Amino acid sequence: MSVNVGNLDAIAVDARQRISAAADEATLNQLRIDLLGKKGVLTGALRGLGSLPADQRSAAGARANALKTEIDQRLNARRQELEQNRLQGLADSEWVDVTFIPEAAVSRGHLHPLTQALTEITAIFSRLGYEVALGPEVEDDYHNFQALNIPEGHPARDEWDSFYLAQGGWLLRTHTSPVQIRFMEAHQPPIRIIAPGPVYRHEATDAGHESQFHQVEGLLVEEDIRMSDLVGTIEYFSRSMFGAERRIRISGDHFPFTEPSIGAAVSCGICQGTGCGSCKGGWLEIMGAGMVHPQVLRNGRIDPERYSGFAFGMGLDRIAMLKYNIADIRRLRESDVRFLRQF
Ligand code: PHE
């Protein structure tokens, strides 16, 4: 085909007419191929430019390129126009207003009640200057018993019956008190720590007992620490955790690693201390505590002539049960979301 500007004009007229007549996307796609494709009309014309006399070549080249751009734009514009028409032509029933679709409910979890209780306990004691210390759950006999004044054959071992590993004399710790020893071995006073974590006891399971539960140990060792400091600390803790209306009851107790030893109970929030099925005569035991035995300080390489301290150990599960009025400790480990969702 010989190429001249008149020829290009004819291509342009034809292309414009066919593009505006195209009624659907497929036709437009075919038109793009026919006009601009490798074997397209315009491509052929461009190829023929080389045979033009030199004085016409550049004018025709410019015209051909402009036409190429124009066709491309017209194809795109027509496609948009067709899409617009299609949307406008849709019957009301055929389209949806997405702003009216209710969003799918997102099911959102939350922290386990034990974690919630521990977070609160940690916050309360951090206000009193305590830091969190951790120890191993698999312990040796020395840290779990001997260093706490419970030598082999001591009758107190019956209270802390454990699970023993087949080798090496290791056991699953029966309380968090070994963390007291481990921390003292590595630090000198002033010491203020709480040590939370799982503990294990070989015992029958019922509504109040599990073979795995959680304790939060506390240890404070400084100069001139007395029983009144311990009682004040328990009082502050109980008020912060359970509310100012709860009373606390301190009674005598016995632990080989504290001297003297006490037990602390909080008045029951369900019966207000008059006695009900959830408590024992209006009170709920929350912790064992006492002044750290001088030999235990020595075992931790701390001089009992210079320093004194107190320690306490509370059952985290008990505290969570008290705080959230949970009647059965086993619920805390069942992972039943119908139960957990309530807290
Ligand atoms: N370890 C004791 C228990 O498991 C609790 C306790 C801790 C008592 C610290 C006194 C001091 O029963």
Side-chain angles (χ1 to χ4, degrees), residues 157-172:
R157 289 209 178 200
D158 293 349
E159 271 183 62
W160 288 283
D161 194 7
S162 181
F163 298 98
Y164 286 84
L165 276 69
Q167 277 159 9
W170 300 98
L171 67 153
L172 299 183

Side-chain angles (χ1 to χ4, degrees), residues 47-335:
R47 216 171 277 134
L49 284 175
S51 60
L52 281 179
D55 60 334
Q56 294 175 27
R57 207 181 290 155
S58 81
R63 177 77 183 93
N65 276 318
L67 183 54
K68 196 176 159 189
T69 308
E70 183 197 323
I71 288 174
D72 181 58
Q73 283 169 355
R74 280 178 187 272
L75 285 167
N76 290 337
R78 181 62 184 153
R79 166 172 292 124
Q80 277 175 23
E81 199 175 41
L82 286 174
E83 181 62 11
Q84 283 290 324
N85 291 347
R86 191 182 70 79
L87 289 176
Q88 274 168 14
L90 282 180
D92 279 354
S93 61
E94 278 181 88
W95 65 290
V96 284
D97 179 349
V98 291
T99 61
F100 282 140
I101 300 178
E103 62 184 276
V106 177
S107 102
R108 190 166 166 198
H110 63 70
L111 295 175
H112 190 279
L114 283 177
T115 309
Q116 291 181 41
L118 180 57
T119 305
E120 208 166 324
I121 293 169
T122 309
I124 292 166
F125 281 101
S126 79
R127 291 203 286 277
L128 295 175
Y130 288 68
E131 59 183 305
V132 173
L134 300 175
E137 286 170 51
V138 177
E139 261 299 359
D140 54 40
D141 193 272
Y142 175 77
H143 288 93
N144 195 77
F145 291 126
Q146 294 165 41
L148 294 163
N149 287 342
I150 314 172
E152 226 157 295
H154 193 286
R157 289 209 178 200
D158 293 349
E159 271 183 62
W160 288 283
D161 194 7
S162 181
F163 298 98
Y164 286 84
L165 276 69
Q167 277 159 9
W170 300 98
L171 67 153
L172 299 183
R173 68 177 178 192
T174 55
H175 49 179
T176 42
S177 298
V179 186
Q180 289 186 37
I181 306 294
R182 290 187 178 276
F183 196 86
M184 287 189 288
E185 282 170 348
H187 302 82
Q188 282 295 306
I191 289 173
R192 288 188 192 192
I193 54 158
I194 55 169
V199 300
Y200 304 83
R201 302 246 176 119
H202 182 222
E203 57 183 315
T205 293
D206 63 29
H209 299 86
E210 263 274 43
S211 54
Q212 185 198 333
F213 57 101
H214 304 80
Q215 285 188 333
V216 181
E217 191 82 7
L219 174 69
L220 181 145
V221 183
E222 283 166 34
E223 281 176 12
D224 286 330
I225 298 301
R226 301 138 198 254
M227 182 61 93
S228 53
D229 298 310
L230 171 57
V231 173
T233 303
I234 296 173
E235 232 163 50
Y236 176 78
F237 166 72
S238 165
R239 288 195 180 168
S240 312
M241 191 73 191
F242 304 112
E245 67 288 354
R246 298 290 187 99
R247 286 170 297 141
I248 66 160
R249 184 191 67 185
I250 304 293
S251 52
D253 206 331
H254 175 262
F255 300 99
F257 36 93
T258 46
E259 181 59 36
S261 303
I262 60 169
V266 175
S267 61
C268 176
I270 298 175
C271 64
Q272 316 305 334
T274 55
C276 68
S278 299
C279 64
K280 282 186 187 142
W283 299 95
L284 289 140
E285 293 283 342
I286 55 162
M287 64 168 81
M291 305 309 290
V292 183
H293 194 288
Q295 184 57 40
V296 172
L297 289 175
R298 254 178 247 122
N299 294 343
R301 298 184 201 120
I302 287 171
D303 178 6
E305 300 297 326
R306 179 162 174 210
Y307 296 106
S308 52
F310 60 73
F312 54 84
M314 51 189 154
L316 178 60
D317 311 67
R318 271 290 161 79
I319 304 242
M321 289 167 79
L322 243 177
K323 174 130 182 146
Y324 305 118
N325 293 322
I326 296 168
D328 190 328
I329 191 173
R330 291 169 292 193
R331 297 283 101 80
L332 290 169
R333 288 182 51 74
E334 276 172 357
S335 302

